[in-house]
Amino acid sequence: MTVRAASSVLVGRHRELSTLRDSLGRARAGEPTTVLVGGEAGVGKTRLLEEFTGWATDGEARVLVGQCLELGEAGLPFAPFAAALRAVLRVDGPEVFAGYEAEFARLVPELGRTALAAPSAAPVGDAPRGYLFDLVAELFQRLADARPLVLLIEDLHWADRSTRDLIGFLVRAARPGRLLLVCTYRTDELQRGHPLRPFLAELDRVRGVERVELGRLDRDGTGAILADLLGAEPPARAVDDVHKRTQGNPFFIEELAVAGDPIGCAALPETLRDLLLARVDRLPEPAQRVLRIAAAGGTRFAHDLLAEVAGLAEVELEDALRAAVAAQLVVADPDGDYEFRHALVREAVHDELLPGEHARLHARFAAAIEAQPHLVAAGRSPAEIAHHWYAAHDHPRALVAARAAACAAAERYAYAEQRRLLERALELWELVPDAATLLGMDHLALLEQTLDAAITAGDFSRAITLTRAGLAEVDAEAAPLRAARLLGQRGRLLALLGKSDGSEELGEAYRLAAGGPAGVERVRLLADIATYLVKIDPGQASRVAAEASATAVALGEKLALLPTRIALLCRGEGNLERGLTELAEAEAVARAAGDTPALVLAKVFRSDVLCELGRYAESAEAAEAGAAEARRVGISRSTGAYLLSNRAEALIALGRWDDAEAVCAEAARIDLSGVTGLHWLQLGAGLRLARAHPGADELVDRALAFLSRPFLWPNLRLPLHELGVEAALAADDKIEAVRAARVAVADERLPQLPREGWPVLSAVARTAARVGDRELAAAVAALAADLPARHPAARAHAAQVTALLAVGDQVLPAWRTAVDAWRADGQPYPLGRALLALAESAAAAGERDEVSAAVTEAAEIARRLGATPLAETAATLARRVGLRGAGQGGAGADLLTSREREVLRLVAEGHSNSRIAERLFISPKTASVHVSRIIAKLGVTNRVEAAALAHRLGLLAEPATPR
C-alpha cells in the first residue's frame, strides 16, 4: 500500500479556520485585525494557514507571506517584511513605492538600483526607523485600499527585535484598515526569558488582536489523518498506537505512518530524532549528503548557493534534490529555491552533523557568500556571513563579520541587532589575539560603539551595564575625555531610568572634561554635560555652559553649543519674550548648517516657551510645523516626539480636546523608553479624567506608577502630583486626595518651578476646601506667597488659589477675579470650573442673575469639550438653585446614565458598593464613583436619601422604549 507523506485534509481545525475567516471579514469592513496563531512544532499551523490563504485568495484578498529566519536575535533584521515587499515589487513594480524607493531599499536593496539616489547614511538616533515604519504602514494601507490584504508572518519565535518592533507598530500604532495580520509561533519555543513572551503579552492588550492556540488532535483526528494517508480506514489498534505515541501531533502522525508498517505501524522509532530521520535514512546516500549540506544553510536555501557549497555536478545535485523532494522532505518554492518541509527535519539533520563536518560546512557557506554575495537575497549577506563564521567557530573571521553585520544592521535602522552583533564581537575579542588589528580599533572603542547602539535602540538597562564595563576599562588619567563621556552617558541614563539624578557621575564627568585637552571634542562634551545638568542643577549648568562657550568662541565652534544654548534659554528664569528671539536665531543657524537635531530641538523649545507665555495657538502651530519638519528629515520618533506632547498640551489649553486626544494617541505609538514618554502620558491621563473616559483609571495608574521610581525630574514629577490629587478628587476619595496633596506640597522643588508648581497648588487648595483641612490650606498659602506668577496661566492659578482659600465676604470677589484671570489666559476648562465656583459663591450671596450666567456659560463649555463631570456639576447646581434651561440635561432619570440607573436600583435594594460591583462586573472603586455621582446629581447627601428620592420620582422603573 502506498502511503502519502503529508495529509491532504484539514482535520480538527474548523473552529480555528472559522476564526481566521471572521477576522478577515472584520478587516474587509475596515477594522484593523491581528490574529496570533500559536502551537507546538508540528501541530499544523502551516497547514491551517495554507487552507485559510487559499480561501482568502479565492475571495479576492491579496496574500503576502514572510518568514522569520533562524539566525537568532542578532540575525537578519526585518527578514519577513523584506520577503513580503519583494513579492510586492515583483507584482506591482517599483512604482508602488510612490517615490520612496530609496527609503524602502533599506528593506529591499534591489530597490536601490531603481531609486534616483542611494539611501543616505542613517542619522544618529532611532528616529529614521520610525519614519521607515510609517512608510511601510502607508504602503500596506495603499495595497489594502485596492483589495483586502492578508500579511502572514511565520515563525515569529525566530523574529529579531526589529521585526517585532515593526509588527508592534502596525498593530498598536499605524493600524492600517482592511489589513489582516497573521503571525505564527511555536509555543514550545517560548521558554522563560524568550523575548517573544512579553511581546505577545503587550499585543494581547491591544484592541483587535486575537490569539488562536492550536492544540493536539484527539483520537478521532488522528484516525482521520491516518485514513487520508493510507487511503483506507486503519485498524483501531493502529489508531490507538499512533495516537498514544504522537499524542495527537499531526506532523508526528504523518512521520510515524510513513516510518512504520502501513497498517499496524510496527517497528516504530523510539525517539523523536529517530522518527524525524527515518525517511532521511531511506534516501540514497548522495541525497542524504546533500540534505546534510543544505541543513547547514538554514531552513530555506537557494539552489545556486547549495551548488556552490556542495561542489557537485549539476546532474548529481539535481538527482539528489529530486529524491529529497519526492520523499517530501524538501519542497520547491515559486522562486526556484528550496525549503525543508518542516523546520524540525532540518534541525534533526543539522544536529546529526559531526563536529568537524558542522564547522566545515558552515565555513564553506560563509566563504561562498563572501565571494558571491548575490547567492543570497540582496541585503542578507552580512548577517548570513556573520552567522556562518560564528557557527564555524572561526573566531577571527566571525569577529570581523560580526562588526560588518552590525554596520549593515545600523544602515537598516535595526539598532537592537546592531547592539547584539557588537556584543558578539566583544565576546569574540578575547578569543582573537590580533582583534585590535583586524578591526582597526581598541577594545574600549568597540565597547563605546556597543554602548551607543544600546542607547539608540532604547536598551537603557543594558547601556547602564556597558557604561560600567567601559569605566572599568578606561584610563581616566590617560584619556580624560573618553572617561568623561562615559560618565556623562551613565549619569543621563540613570536619570532616564529613574534610578538617580546622575549628579555624581555628571560632576565627575565635568571634572575630567575641564582638565582634558582643548579642542572641539572637549567643547561638545562640556555642552552635553551642561545640557544634562539643566534639570538638576541650573546654576552649575550655566557655569559649565559658560566655560564651553568661551572655548567655542576661541575655536570658532558654534554648533556644538546650540542644544545647550536652547536648553538654558528655556529652562532659566530669564525673559521668555527675548528668549523667543534667540530661539529664532538658533533655529536659523541650525538650518543653515544642516544641524537637524539642533533645529528640531529649537522647535521643541519654541513651542514650549509659547505655551508658557499663554500663546497657545502659536504654540500648537509651531509644534505642528516642527513635527512636519521632524518627519521630513526622519527624526519624528526621537527629539521630534516631544513636539507631539507639546502640541497636545497647547491643544488642551485651546479646548481642542478631540485633536489633543488624537495627538496623544500618536505620541503613545512611539513607545519611548524610560521617562521620555511621560509627558504625553500625564496629559492623556488628565484629559481622560476630565472627560470621565472609561480608560481613565488605567492611564492614570500608568502615569502615577512613575512616582515610585527613586528619581524623577521635578518638571515631570510635579504634574504627576497634580494628577494624583485630581484623580482622587474625581473618585471622591477624600483620604487619598489629602494624602496626595500633602506629598505634593512637601516636594522641595515646587517653590523653584512656578510653571509646574501653580497647577499643583490649585489642586491642593481645592482639596483643602473640599475637606475643610485648615493645615493644608495654610501650607498652600505659605507656598503661594513666595511663588512667582509671571505668565497668564500662572496668574490665573494664583487668583484661583486665593479664591479657594478665601473666607466670608472675600469669596465672591475672589472668584470674580479668578474668572477674569482665566478669561485673560484663554483656557476654557479651568474657566468652566472657576465659573461654577463663582456661581456657588454668587448663589450664597443671593446674586441670582450672576449665578444663571455663570452656570449657563460653564454648561456650554462642558458641552463643547465633552467634559462630562463638569456638565454634570453644572446641571446639578442649576437644579439646586432652581434654574431652568441653564446647564440641565433634564430632570430625574434624564440626569442619570443607563449605568447609573442600574446602580441606583441596586442602591435602593440596599446593596453595598462591593456587592454592586459583583452584580455589574465592575470594580468597587468604579461602583463608588457611580454612587457619588448619583448623589451629586440628585442633590441629596447620602444613599438612603438617593433611594427615597428615586422611589418618589419613579426613577427605578425601566426606561420606556423610544418611539
Side-chain angles (χ1 to χ4, degrees):
M1 180 181 295
T2 301
V3 181
R4 282 203 307 274
S7 174
S8 61
V9 298
L10 184 67
V11 176
R13 303 300 185 209
H14 300 296
R15 180 178 61 82
E16 292 85 355
L17 183 60
S18 177
T19 297
L20 288 167
R21 289 175 173 175
D22 291 345
S23 298
L24 182 55
R26 292 196 300 274
R28 284 181 187 274
E31 179 182 343
T33 307
T34 300
V35 180
L36 306 172
V37 181
E40 67 181 1
V43 81
K45 300 182 292 296
T46 300
R47 180 70 185 85
L48 170 67
L49 270 299
E50 287 174 351
E51 187 80 14
F52 167 68
T53 54
W55 173 84
T57 303
D58 291 341
E60 298 186 350
R62 182 171 188 174
V63 177
L64 298 176
V65 181
Q67 189 168 37
C68 301
L69 301 180
E70 192 183 3
L71 296 180
E73 278 284 293
L76 180 66
F78 305 117
F81 288 98
L85 293 177
R86 283 192 181 93
V88 172
L89 176 62
R90 282 196 301 270
V91 174
D92 299 271
E95 297 78 15
V96 75
F97 297 97
Y100 292 102
E101 290 87 348
E103 288 81 359
F104 278 103
R106 301 284 187 179
L107 299 181
V108 187
E110 297 96 311
L111 279 169
R113 294 190 290 270
T114 65
L116 294 177
S120 59
V124 176
D126 193 33
R129 186 178 69 156
Y131 180 51
L132 181 63
F133 284 10
D134 284 333
L135 293 176
V136 172
E138 290 169 4
L139 171 62
F140 286 151
Q141 184 64 74
R142 290 197 300 275
L143 296 175
D145 287 341
R147 56 177 172 150
L149 180 64
V150 178
L151 176 59
L152 171 58
I153 297 180
E154 295 189 274
D155 298 323
L156 197 57
H157 51 279
W158 287 333
D160 56 281
R161 178 177 149 182
S162 291
T163 294
R164 294 195 300 272
D165 288 347
L166 181 47
I167 291 171
F169 174 75
L170 292 173
V171 173
R172 292 193 298 257
R175 299 175 66 80
R178 290 166 58 85
L179 169 67
L180 172 61
L181 176 61
V182 182
C183 302
T184 70
Y185 63 94
R186 288 190 198 170
T187 53
D188 48 332
E189 292 278 350
L190 305 189
Q191 69 277 7
R192 180 175 296 179
H194 195 291
L196 189 60
R197 293 180 67 171
F199 179 69
L200 293 175
E202 291 173 11
L203 294 187
D204 280 338
R205 295 193 289 269
V206 179
R207 181 174 58 84
V209 175
E210 186 170 2
R211 204 116 58 109
V212 172
E213 295 285 347
L214 293 189
R216 297 174 179 178
L217 299 177
D218 57 16
R219 182 191 178 281
D220 291 342
T222 299
I225 288 183
L226 285 174
D228 179 62
L229 293 172
L230 302 175
E233 194 69 27
R237 180 175 61 84
V239 176
D240 291 338
D241 196 2
V242 171
H243 187 67
K244 179 180 179 182
R245 294 288 300 279
T246 64
Q247 298 182 340
N249 183 295
F251 177 68
F252 298 161
I253 294 169
E254 293 172 353
E255 292 301 305
L256 279 172
V258 175
D261 179 82
I263 300 299
C265 294
L268 298 177
E270 291 298 328
T271 68
L272 174 59
R273 186 199 65 182
D274 291 338
L275 168 63
L276 296 174
L277 294 175
R279 259 192 294 158
V280 176
D281 291 341
R282 291 202 294 272
L283 288 175
E285 177 54 34
Q288 291 187 43
R289 185 166 62 252
V290 167
L291 274 190
R292 288 195 296 270
I293 297 171
T299 304
R300 297 174 64 89
F301 51 94
H303 180 92
D304 291 343
L305 176 59
L306 181 63
E308 182 69 24
V309 174
L312 298 175
E314 191 68 21
V315 173
E316 293 180 58
L317 179 61
E318 288 178 351
D319 287 344
L321 287 172
R322 186 174 291 108
V325 170
Q328 298 235 347
L329 291 165
V330 169
V331 295
D333 65 24
D335 295 329
D337 295 330
Y338 299 93
E339 180 180 5
F340 280 89
R341 190 173 74 84
H342 202 288
L344 287 175
V345 175
R346 189 210 73 85
E347 292 170 16
V349 174
H350 188 258
D351 289 346
E352 281 291 288
L353 296 176
L354 298 172
E357 185 181 23
H358 178 281
R360 185 173 64 256
L361 287 176
H362 278 287
R364 284 161 65 179
F365 270 103
I369 298 170
E370 276 186 337
Q372 303 180 68
H374 66 274
L375 292 176
V376 296
R380 280 180 54 172
S381 57
E384 292 273 4
I385 293 167
H387 166 71
H388 286 299
W389 282 131
Y390 189 67
H393 307 298
D394 188 324
H395 299 146
R397 289 189 172 94
L399 173 69
V400 174
R403 184 164 182 273
C407 294
E411 291 175 358
R412 303 182 78 169
Y413 313 136
Y415 303 113
E417 288 67 40
Q418 178 196 16
R419 191 264 297 173
R420 291 189 182 92
L421 285 160
L422 289 173
E423 290 203 350
R424 178 185 291 177
L426 288 171
E427 168 198 332
L428 292 166
W429 185 283
E430 301 299 331
L431 304 175
V432 180
D434 57 344
T437 302
L438 288 173
L439 294 185
M441 63 174 62
D442 60 22
H443 184 268
L444 181 58
L446 180 61
L447 196 150
E448 289 168 334
Q449 283 191 359
T450 310
L451 170 60
D452 290 340
I455 293 173
T456 306
D459 296 332
F460 292 163
S461 296
R462 183 58 182 161
I464 283 281
T465 302
L466 290 167
T467 61
R468 187 184 305 118
L471 289 168
E473 184 173 333
V474 68
D475 184 340
E477 292 185 7
L481 296 184
R482 294 181 85 174
R485 183 172 184 270
L486 286 167
L487 282 164
Q489 288 175 311
R490 183 172 178 82
R492 177 171 176 266
L493 288 166
L494 289 170
L496 285 171
L497 290 171
K499 294 180 177 294
S500 78
D501 63 4
S503 58
E504 182 179 343
E505 289 77 10
L506 292 171
E508 180 62 13
Y510 169 66
R511 187 189 69 80
L512 290 170
V520 172
E521 182 183 357
R522 178 174 175 273
V523 171
R524 292 185 182 276
L525 184 54
L526 288 173
D528 287 341
I529 293 170
T531 304
Y532 300 158
L533 282 170
V534 165
K535 292 182 180 179
I536 58 175
D537 190 344
Q540 176 67 0
S542 296
R543 291 189 290 273
V544 175
E547 182 178 346
S549 179
T551 308
V553 170
L555 295 172
E557 177 70 19
K558 295 180 179 179
L559 293 180
L561 290 178
L562 277 176
T564 303
R565 179 183 178 190
I566 293 166
L568 290 175
L569 172 68
C570 301
R571 301 289 181 184
E573 298 290 339
N575 185 318
L576 291 186
E577 293 286 357
R578 186 177 69 242
L580 285 175
T581 302
E582 294 194 26
L583 275 169
E585 292 177 10
E587 185 177 331
V589 171
R591 189 185 297 277
D595 190 340
T596 302
L599 172 62
V600 174
L601 191 61
K603 290 182 175 294
V604 170
F605 284 118
R606 178 176 176 79
S607 61
D608 193 50
V609 169
L610 286 167
C611 191
E612 185 170 1
L613 289 171
R615 294 159 61 175
Y616 303 120
E618 292 178 69
S619 174
E621 291 172 6
E624 185 176 17
E629 181 78 11
R631 175 178 168 81
R632 184 184 67 80
V633 297
I635 60 169
S636 56
R637 299 184 180 278
S638 55
T639 309
Y642 296 103
L643 288 160
L644 293 176
S645 56
N646 283 359
R647 184 175 178 228
E649 185 175 16
L651 291 171
I652 291 171
L654 288 168
R656 294 168 54 185
W657 283 12
D658 290 340
D659 292 339
E661 279 199 344
V663 174
C664 282
E666 185 179 352
R669 297 164 194 158
I670 297 171
D671 197 21
L672 296 168
S673 299
V675 302
T676 49
L678 181 53
H679 188 206
W680 80 260
L681 184 62
Q682 169 254 321
L683 292 171
L687 197 55
R688 286 190 175 185
L689 204 60
R691 284 185 151 178
H693 188 285
D697 287 349
E698 186 267 339
L699 215 58
V700 168
D701 289 344
R702 280 177 58 193
L704 296 183
F706 280 83
L707 288 173
S708 64
R709 301 196 179 196
F711 172 76
L712 200 62
W713 281 310
N715 66 309
L716 297 177
R717 186 174 65 241
L718 289 171
L720 290 183
H721 288 319
E722 177 199 359
L723 178 64
V725 174
E726 292 287 3
L729 291 175
D732 199 28
D733 188 342
K734 296 182 178 65
I735 294 175
E736 173 59 21
V738 171
R739 185 205 66 79
R742 293 192 183 282
V743 171
V745 295
D747 194 302
E748 62 182 6
R749 293 300 299 273
L750 190 153
Q752 299 153 22
L753 297 171
R755 180 180 180 182
E756 292 82 10
W758 276 115
V760 173
L761 291 185
S762 277
V764 175
R766 186 174 289 109
T767 303
R770 175 87 61 92
V771 303
D773 190 322
R774 294 182 179 179
E775 183 181 343
L776 193 58
V780 173
L783 287 166
D786 296 326
L787 196 63
R790 298 187 180 93
H791 308 298
R795 289 194 288 267
H797 276 295
Q800 183 167 279
V801 167
T802 299
L804 286 164
L805 300 180
V807 294
D809 295 340
Q810 300 174 351
V811 176
L812 182 56
W815 275 115
R816 287 170 177 162
T817 301
V819 166
D820 289 343
W822 282 118
R823 287 193 196 283
D825 175 64
Q827 296 189 55
Y829 181 63
L831 172 61
R833 299 177 84 177
L835 283 166
L836 290 183
L838 172 64
E840 288 192 11
S841 58
E847 300 287 346
R848 187 173 178 81
D849 290 344
E850 191 169 12
V851 174
S852 177
V855 171
T856 300
E857 185 179 359
E860 173 57 24
I861 289 172
R863 183 199 63 77
R864 192 169 68 249
L865 297 178
T868 303
L870 185 65
E872 292 172 351
T873 304
T876 301
L877 180 58
R879 187 178 57 79
R880 282 180 174 175
V881 299
L883 299 176
R884 296 187 179 277
Q888 299 187 75
D894 291 339
L895 281 175
L896 303 181
T897 66
S898 59
R899 173 63 88 182
E900 287 167 345
R901 287 196 295 274
E902 290 179 307
V903 172
L904 181 57
R905 291 187 193 101
L906 295 175
V907 168
E909 292 173 12
H911 293 296
S912 66
N913 289 347
S914 297
R915 184 58 180 159
I916 291 171
E918 291 177 7
R919 291 282 295 273
L920 298 182
F921 303 100
I922 58 179
S923 70
K925 182 178 179 181
T926 301
S928 173
V929 171
H930 281 310
V931 171
S932 298
R933 287 180 178 163
I934 291 168
I935 290 171
K937 287 183 178 183
L938 297 180
V940 295
T941 59
N942 55 49
R943 303 161 72 96
V944 175
E945 289 181 9
L949 181 61
H951 279 294
R952 286 199 307 273
L953 298 180
L955 303 185
L956 301 182
E958 291 290 341
T961 303
R963 294 181 180 180

